[in-house]
Amino acid sequence: MILLGGKSSTEPDFISAVARASGHATLLHCYQCGKCTAGCPLAFGMDHKPNQIIRLLQLGRIKQVLGSRAIWICAGCWTCTTRCPCGIDIAQVMDSLRVLARNEGETVQGKDVVSFNELFLQSVRRNGRVFEFGVFMGRNLRRRKPFLDADLGRFMLTRGKLRLTAERIKGTKEVRRLFSRQGAPVRNPKERTKE
Amino acid sequence: MPRIGVFVCWCGSNIGGVLDCPAIAQEAASFPGVVFSTEYKYVCSDPGQKLIVDAIKEHRLERVVVASCSPRLHEETFRQVLRRSGLNPYFLEMANLREHCSWVHPDTPEQAQRKAVDLVRRAAAKAARLEPLFPGKIPVVRRCLVIGGGIAGIQTALDVADAGLEVLLVEREPTIGGNMVKLDKTFPTLDCSACISTPKMVAAAQHPNIKLYTYAQVEEITGYIGNFKARIRQKARFVDHAKCTGCGTCWTKCPVSVPDDFNLGLGERGAIHIPFPQAVPNKPVIDLAHCRRSTRGKCGACAKLCPAGAIDYEQKDEFIEAEVGAIVVATGYGLFPWEKVYGEYGYGRFPDVITGLMFERMVNASGPTSGKIQRPSSGKEPRTVVFIQCVGSRDEARGKEYCSRFCCMYTAKHAHQVLEKIPGSEVYVFYIDVRTFGKGYEEFYRRVQDEGAVYIRGRVSKVYQDGSKLIVKGADTLLGEQVEIAADMVVLATGAVPAAGAADVARMIGIPQDKDGFFQEAHPKLRPVETHTGGVFLAGTCQGPKDIPDTVSQASGAAAKVCGLLLKDELETNPLVSRVNEALCTGCLACQPVCPYRAIQPVTITERLPGQPPRERVVARVNEGLCQGCGACTVACRAGAIDLKGFTNKQLLAEVDALCL
Amino acid sequence: MKIGYYPGCSLQSSAKEYDRATRLVARHLGIQLHDINDWNCCGATAAHSMDHFLAAALPARNLIIAEEMGLDVTVPCAACYQRLRLAHRVLAENEETARDISQLIGRPYKGKVRIYSLIETIAGIGLEQLAAQVVRPLKELRVACYYGCLLVRPPGTGCDDPENPRLMDELLEAAKAETLDWGYKNECCGASLVFSERRLALHLIRNILRNAVDAGATSIACACPLCQSNLDTRQGQVNKEFGTSFAMPIFYFPQLLGLAMGLNPQDLGLGMHFVDPQRAIKAVSG
Amino acid sequence: MSVNERDVGTTTEGAAWEPKIVAFLCNWCSYAGADLAGVSRVKYPANVRIIRVPCSSRVNPQFILRAFERGADGVLVAGCHPGDCHYVTGNYFTRRRLTLFKRLLEYVGFEPERLKVRWVSASEGQRFAETVKEMVDGIKHLGPQKRIARL
C-alpha cells in the first residue's frame, strides 16, 4: 500500500538528488510507455522493471527503489536512455541510484557488485591502473569462493593474459588526490536548468 | 408504351471481363418497349454520353436504361445527359451490373449472365412506367433562429449576422454566455474565459442584425426548410427591461438569500438577481419561487427602491411568433449527475468533494470565494487535492460509454491552478488515459507535471470522510499497488451529457438523437453540422462533447451552412416525394403518425361530383417542402391513395414481375 | 598520421592480443600510435556506479596529459572510449567539476582533445586505402560485427548510429569479408554483470551467439575487450548452462584486418583465444 | 466448375434448379452495403436480384406477396440498423409491419424462412454477402416455393 497526501512519504531531498544527477525536468515527464523495459536486455531478471523504477521515483518510494535488486542488475548498456521518448537518462538514473544506495548503506541486494567495485577502485587508487588478477583474487576471497572461474584463470594464465604483478604508474599521487574528493556533486550534463 | 433505349456498359473489363455485354444488349432488344439497344466500353465517358444523346435523337427515345455501375455513383451524371437531350431527367433507370453482378460473381459467369439479363429487364420494366418529375421551387425566409446562447450560439449568430442576415438568438437563462462564461481560465493558453467571451456576448447583444431573447424558450417549430415558424415564450422577468437601467439597487437590497445556481450553490443570491456582474443583458429577473412578496405576500423592497420604477410583479409570459428560414441548434451540454450514481464518492454528501465546474467558480476571481481555493466545509485552504478523472465518462456500467474529451485538459488546468495558488500543496490526479488531442495540449499536460502534479493511473475506488480528511482509495495500475491518499479536497471531473431538455428540443424540431442523447449529425465526417432535417443545423456540444476551439469552429461551420441556404433566392425541392390521390383518400389519416417529418396534414376540400351538391371532406395532404421521400406513408395507406413519386406501387410491382419471369 | 593511444588496463592483460593486433595493423597502415604518458585507469566499469566525481575525474587526467602532448586520442576499448567521451562532456559543460579536477591535478584542461574509437581512426585513413592493403581477402569469412553497447551509446557519445552501426562492417567489407545484417549487433552482452550476476550474463551471451548462428555467421568481430572476453571465454559456461554447442570464434576486428593484410596470425594473437579460431582462419587462408 | 453447382438441387423434372431471391434494399444503408460488397469483391451466390427502394419502410407486404406469387423462392428486405435510419424512424415501421406479416405467413402455413428481414449498414458489405449465402443455403434446403400460387 502506497500512502500519500498530507504527511506523505515523499522525500523531496532524495528525489531532487536523483533528479540533479539524472536530468531533473524530465524525470517527471515519464508517461510509462514502457519502452525502456521493452528494450532492456536484463528486465527479465529484475524485480522492478526500469519503467517501474521511474514510477516509484515519481511517487517518492525511496525504500522500495534502493532496496530493489533491479538497480544492481542494470548492466549500464544505455539502451533505455537511447530510446526514451521523454529524454530521460534512465541509465544515469540507475547509476545515481547505485551511488545513493551505497551512500545510504542500502546495498544488501548489490553487495557483490559493491564489493567488486570497491576492490576495483582500491586497485586503481593504489596503482593508478587496475590490477585484474589482484581484483579477481580479492573478489574470490571476499566471497569465500577461491576457485570461482578458476577454469578461466587457468586459461588466461596459460595464454599469458594474466599479469601476476601489479604495475604502478608514476602519477599515483595525482590519482589519489582525485580519490580524496569522492562524493563531490556532479551535475549531469543532460540536466536542463529550469531558469 | 414509351420508346426505350438500353445502353450496356463494359466498364472496361470490370463488367465486360465477366459478362457478355453484346449478348445482354441483344437480349434487351426483345424486352417490351425497347426500340434500341447497344453496348459500349465506357458509357460514362464523353463519347459514351454522346452515344446516348445521338441515340435519343436518332431513335426518338423517350426512356433510357443504362446498365453499368451503381446508380449511387453515376445516376446524376446520366440524368444530366437526358436533360441535355431535352428529356425529363427522371426518365432514367439504371441496372447495376458492376457492384451487384460482375464484381461479386466472377466465378459463376453463366449465372451472372442470367442475373444481368434479369437486372436489365427489371430496369426496362420500371423505365416503361417512369413519369416526368419536376422539382418545385419554394421561397426562403432570410432569417435564422439560433437556439442556445452559449459560445456556440453566440458565434453562429455573429457570423450569420455579419453576413447581413437577420438572427433570432434565444437563450433560456437570464444571461447569454452558457457554460463557457462560468469558467475561470481556459486551457492550454490560460486566457481568462470571461475576458474572451464577454466581449462576444456584448457584440451579440448590440449587433443590429441580432434580436436577442434571454429568459426565453422556443416552444414550437412548424414548417420546413426555408419556411419555418417558431413560437418563442418570453418568460416573465417581473422587471421591465425597457425601464431598468441595471443600477443594481434592487439586487443589493433584496432580503432573500438562496443558493446561487450560477455558482452551483457555492454562493448565495437574492430573489431578484443578475447571474453575474458581466451578465448580458445586465438587468435582473425575479425568481418568483423565492421572492418574499410572492411566498409571504409582503416585502416589495425592490419595487420601493427601484429609481426607474421598472419592477412589475404583474408581468406575464409573452409569446413571439417568427418566421425563419433556417434553425441552428446550439443547446450545449450539462454535467453528468454523479450524485445519483457514485455512492463510493459519497453521493454528494461530503462537502469537500466538488465537481470541476464548482472548482471553476471557486477559482474564479469574480466567483463566490473571490478566487480563493478553499474547502467548502471549513473555508480553509486545502493542502492536498485529489482529482478524479472520468466520473461518468468511460463507465459503461453506470455512466456513459464515451469520452467527454475536455476533462483531461480542465483537470490538468485545475492541477496547475492549485499548485500555483497554494505554494507547497500536493496534487494527485487519478486518470485512466490522459487524452491531450488539441494544439498545445500535450505540452500543457507536461508542464503541469513539471510543476509537481502527480499523475496516478487508476480509477479511484472509494472516497470517505475520516475526521477532517477525505481518504481516497485508489491503485497505481502501473505498479500494481494500492494507493491511499489523505486529501483535503477531492475534485471530480464529471463528464458531459446533453443539456437538460435536449430530448424536448429534438422532438420539437424533429431531429434524431444518438444513443447518448446528443443530436445526430447527418454524417459523422462529411456532414457534421447538418441534420437529416433540411434547414436545421448543429453547433457545439449539443452534437457531442467538445472543447471551446472545436465548438467555435463548428459554430462558424453552421453559420456558413445557414448563409449558403438563406442567400439563395429560392430552393429547389426534391421531386421524389409522396403525393395523395385525393379522390381515393378517405381522410383516415393513418399516414400521418408514421411520417417522421410531420409532412402530412389534414385539409378540408370541397368535392363536386356530377349530379350531387358540393360536399366538404377531409383528406391528407403532403407538404412537399417537408417530405423527404421515405415512403413509409404509402404502406400505411389502406386505400392505396398515397404513392411515392419515383418509387410508385406500379413501378415496384413491375420490377418484381420482371425479376420473377 | 600521428595520434595518442590510450590502451586501457585490459589491453595490458586479458586483452593483450587486441593491443598487439592494434599496434601491428596501425604500423602497417602508417598510423603512428603514441601511448599517452603514464596513463591511468579510466574507472570503467566501477567508478560510475560508485561515485560520479571519480567517474569524471579519472578519465580527465588522461585527457589533460593528451592535451599536453598535443595529441588527439584513439581508444580501442569501448568502455574506456565511452568514459573518456563522457568525461570530456562533463568537463565541457560543468565548470565547477572541471575546475575541481584541474585544481586536484594541478593542470588545466582546455577541452581541445578529440577522442576517437579505434574503428574511427582506422576508417579515417579511407576504405580504399585500406582495401589496397589487402593481400589475403577474407572471402570465406561470414562475420557478424558486434558493436555492443558502449561504443555506440548513449547517442551523442557513440561513434556510430546507435541502432544500426555500420563502421566495423565497412572496414571488414573493405577486407572482402562477408558481413551480416543481424539483430543483436548492438545488444548488451552483460559484461559488467558477469562477476555479480553470472547466470543473467550467460543468458545474454547465449542470445547473442544464437542470433549470430541463426544469421549464418561463422565468426564474430568485436571492438571491446569486455565483449570479446565475455563472448569468447564464457562460451564453455554457456554450453554447459544451456546444453548448447557453440564454438564461435570471437575476433578483435584489427586481428581480421591484420590477417587480410597478410600479417602473421601468431603475431596478431590469434592463438590466444578460448574458442580456437583455426578453422575460420584456414578457410580464409585456403 | 463452380462451387455452387455441387449443391444444386433438382426439380421434379430433373433439371438443375437454382432458387430465385428478390431483395428489397434501402438506398442509404443496404443498397450501399451491397455496393460495398462489390467494391470489396466479396463473392456471394448469384441467386439474388436487387430492387432499390428509398427506405425499407417503402416495402409494402403486397410487393412481397407478389414476388412469391410470381415464383420467387425467397424475399429479402434489408434496411438500416434500427436507430440509424436515414429517415429517422422508417425502419421501426418496417420491423413492426414485417414481423406481423411474417407471423401471418407462418399462420397460413408458409415457411417463414423464405422471408428475411435484415439490417445491413453501408459499411457491412461482408454482412450482406453472408446474408445472401445463408439465405440461398436455407432455401436450397427447403426446395422450390410452390405454396403461394400465381393468382
Side-chain angles (χ1 to χ4, degrees), chain C residues 78-93:
Chain C
C80 300
Y81 167 73
Q82 189 207 37
R83 282 296 137 198
L84 261 61
R85 294 276 306 228
L86 285 172
H88 177 83
R89 216 165 86 184
V90 169
L91 292 171
E93 294 174 14

Side-chain angles (χ1 to χ4, degrees), chain C residues 15 18 76-79 146-147 150-151 222-229 252-253:
Chain C
Y18 193 12
C77 168
Y146 176 68
Y147 297 79
L150 308 178
L151 205 53
C222 59
C224 171
L226 301 178
C227 302
Q228 198 279 342
S229 83
Y252 289 108
F253 79 95

